[in-house]
Amino acid sequence: SYELTQPPSVSVSPGQTASITCSGDKLGNKYTYWYQQKPGQSPVLVIYQDTKRPSGIPERFSGSNSGNTATLTISGTQAMDEADYYCQAWDSSTVVFGGGTKLTVL
Amino acid sequence: QVQLVQSGAEVKKPGASVKVSCKASGYTFTAYYMHWVRQAPGQGLEWMGWINPNSGDTNYAQEFQGRVTMTRDTSISTVYMELSRLRSDDTAVYYCARAAQMSSGPVVVYYYGLDVWGQGTTVTVSS
């Protein structure tokens, strides 16, 4: 089965740029989606189709996807961005999620 | 406003079944697919499948084939997810989530992500 691999944790200082990676075989040939989940809350879609931001998502969130790796980038990271982030892709007819990355802003 | 409201928490014994509902409002119910995703305590997201509320077509994750049934009632804009033969490792928060999507059978033609989520339903399986 297809697997998406994320680092368990990433740390960033406020105001700096955070990069969260998601790796999978030929992932660049698929669209990647990113979700933010804060403790006790439902996930929120922050990036769809690799690079697009849904309405209401701040411009500091951006995405890229090439080769075997997709990346979620948060520019000028704020304390409110501290959360778990999950990547997602389709493998044939199946939705696959990455294991999630805990972003700590310190 | 667009909203998905799920049914309340459930406590079930091993071997029983649970049926979770998800009521949609604020948009055309039949225009969006509905997915179900679960999250065990302290764990990541796990996809269970989707239903097309317009046609009733479904596509289930292999892990749940034979145990999960997704249905809909268009008259009340509600989808349901029933999971049978519950085990302790089915203890999780279950989410419904909407997707702008078109599929031809199980093949995805277009998909724009899970853009609206329900508040989650906690299902606890314990003897």
Side-chain angles (χ1 to χ4, degrees), chain A residues 10-40:
Chain A
V10 168
S11 297
V12 64
S13 299
Q16 298 305 301
T17 297
S19 295
I20 299 173
T21 58
C22 174
S23 299
D25 185 48
K26 297 183 177 67
L27 183 58
N29 292 341
K30 308 175 187 290
Y31 279 134
T32 301
Y33 304 79
W34 291 92
Y35 301 88
Q36 175 195 68
Q37 186 180 33
K38 296 180 179 179

Side-chain angles (χ1 to χ4, degrees), chain A residues 43 45, chain B residues 2-4 27 34 96-99 113-118:
Chain A
L45 178 69
Chain B
V2 176
Q3 203 172 3
L4 300 176
Y27 70 96
M34 200 72 77
C96 59
R98 184 187 84 162
L114 303 174
D115 67 340
V116 179
W117 293 63

Side-chain angles (χ1 to χ4, degrees), chain A:
Chain A
S1 62
Y2 193 79
E3 291 187 359
L4 294 174
T5 301
Q6 299 181 236
S9 62
V10 168
S11 297
V12 64
S13 299
Q16 298 305 301
T17 297
S19 295
I20 299 173
T21 58
C22 174
S23 299
D25 185 48
K26 297 183 177 67
L27 183 58
N29 292 341
K30 308 175 187 290
Y31 279 134
T32 301
Y33 304 79
W34 291 92
Y35 301 88
Q36 175 195 68
Q37 186 180 33
K38 296 180 179 179
Q41 298 184 18
S42 302
V44 173
L45 178 69
V46 294
I47 293 289
Y48 68 99
Q49 291 185 339
D50 293 340
T51 62
K52 300 173 183 176
R53 277 179 295 103
S55 173
I57 300 302
E59 291 185 10
R60 63 180 181 274
F61 288 88
S62 63
S64 63
N65 187 13
S66 180
N68 294 321
T69 303
T71 303
L72 173 69
T73 302
I74 309 172
S75 305
T77 306
Q78 300 182 9
M80 69 173 66
D81 300 329
E82 185 163 287
D84 293 328
Y85 290 85
Y86 295 90
C87 60
Q88 180 248 301
W90 284 87
D91 175 43
S92 184
S93 61
T94 299
V95 168
V96 180
F97 285 102
T101 297
K102 181 176 180 59
L103 177 67
T104 301
V105 182
L106 41 67

Side-chain angles (χ1 to χ4, degrees), chain B residues 2-31:
Chain B
V2 176
Q3 203 172 3
L4 300 176
V5 178
Q6 299 183 221
S7 49
E10 303 265 11
V11 178
K12 296 291 183 180
K13 293 193 181 304
S17 298
V18 68
K19 191 170 186 177
V20 180
S21 68
C22 170
K23 183 173 177 59
S25 61
Y27 70 96
T28 301
F29 176 66
T30 52

